[in-house]
Amino acid sequence: MKNPLHPELPEEYENILDYRKISRKYLCKNIPQGGGMIKWTSFATTPELYKNIEQHINEQNKIKKPELSDEQILEINIRLSMMMNKPSSCAVRCYEDGYINQHECIIEYVDTINKTVRCYLCYMQERKVFSLFDIVEII
C-alpha cells in the first residue's frame, strides 16, 4: 500500500521513523534548515545582562546621605580639633557614592576655607582628602 502523503517513497522506507536512515531525495524539501549559528547569538548578550543585574543590585544597596544633627556636627568638630592637636590613628566614617565607608587614618590637616580634611590612610599608605560634609563620624 502506497503512502498517500508521499507516493514516491519506496516501501522499504515506509515503516522507518528515523529520518536520518531515509535517503535525502525522499525527504520533504520544505523542512526549514534553521538559522545555523544564528540561534546561539542570544547567548552573546549574557555578559551584558550580568553587568546590568549586578548594577541593579548595587543600586539597591545604596543609601541616602545621612543628615547630621547639630550635636553630631559639634562632636565631629571636637574630634577633628583633638586629632589635629594630638595626631593619632582614628576611624573616619564618611559617605561616598551611596555607601558609608570607614577609613583608618591619621588626620593631617583641616582646610576650613575649602571645607576639606586631608588624611593619611594607615593601611593603604596614601593620602586622601575628604569633604567635611561627607564625614559622618570620627571614632
Side-chain angles (χ1 to χ4, degrees):
M1 181 168 140
K2 286 289 191 185
N3 188 337
L5 296 175
H6 301 287
E8 67 275 353
L9 187 66
E11 287 184 25
E12 59 189 67
Y13 292 126
E14 282 185 11
N15 295 325
I16 297 176
L17 298 176
D18 189 1
Y19 70 93
R20 292 174 290 184
K21 295 180 181 176
I22 300 174
S23 177
R24 191 166 186 86
K25 65 180 179 180
Y26 298 117
L27 293 175
C28 181
K29 304 283 189 245
N30 295 330
I31 298 175
Q33 294 296 318
M37 291 302 290
I38 296 172
K39 62 184 169 186
W40 295 103
T41 59
S42 62
F43 291 100
T45 60
T46 304
E48 290 127 14
L49 290 175
Y50 284 123
K51 286 180 187 177
N52 288 340
I53 291 170
E54 183 178 349
Q55 184 179 7
H56 287 298
I57 290 171
N58 290 338
E59 290 293 325
Q60 288 178 348
N61 292 336
K62 289 186 178 184
I63 61 170
K64 291 194 309 187
K65 185 175 179 179
E67 295 182 19
L68 301 177
S69 66
D70 292 337
E71 291 176 4
Q72 290 171 318
I73 293 171
L74 182 63
E75 186 178 331
I76 290 172
N77 287 335
I78 291 170
R79 297 257 178 164
L80 280 174
S81 62
M82 284 174 44
M83 294 299 162
M84 285 295 298
N85 293 333
K86 183 182 167 191
S88 62
S89 179
C90 65
V92 176
R93 296 182 72 212
C94 59
Y95 178 82
E96 295 174 316
D97 193 32
Y99 300 99
I100 294 181
N101 298 324
Q102 181 169 321
H103 302 280
E104 294 291 325
C105 62
I106 298 171
I107 296 174
E108 293 181 336
Y109 180 72
V110 178
D111 185 0
T112 56
I113 295 171
N114 295 325
K115 308 273 191 230
T116 58
V117 177
R118 187 176 65 206
C119 298
Y120 178 76
L121 301 177
C122 297
Y123 298 118
M124 299 178 73
Q125 298 180 350
E126 64 182 24
R127 285 175 173 74
K128 187 167 183 174
V129 177
F130 300 109
S131 171
L132 281 173
F133 301 110
D134 292 338
I135 295 176
V136 176
E137 185 180 13
I138 297 177
I139 304 170

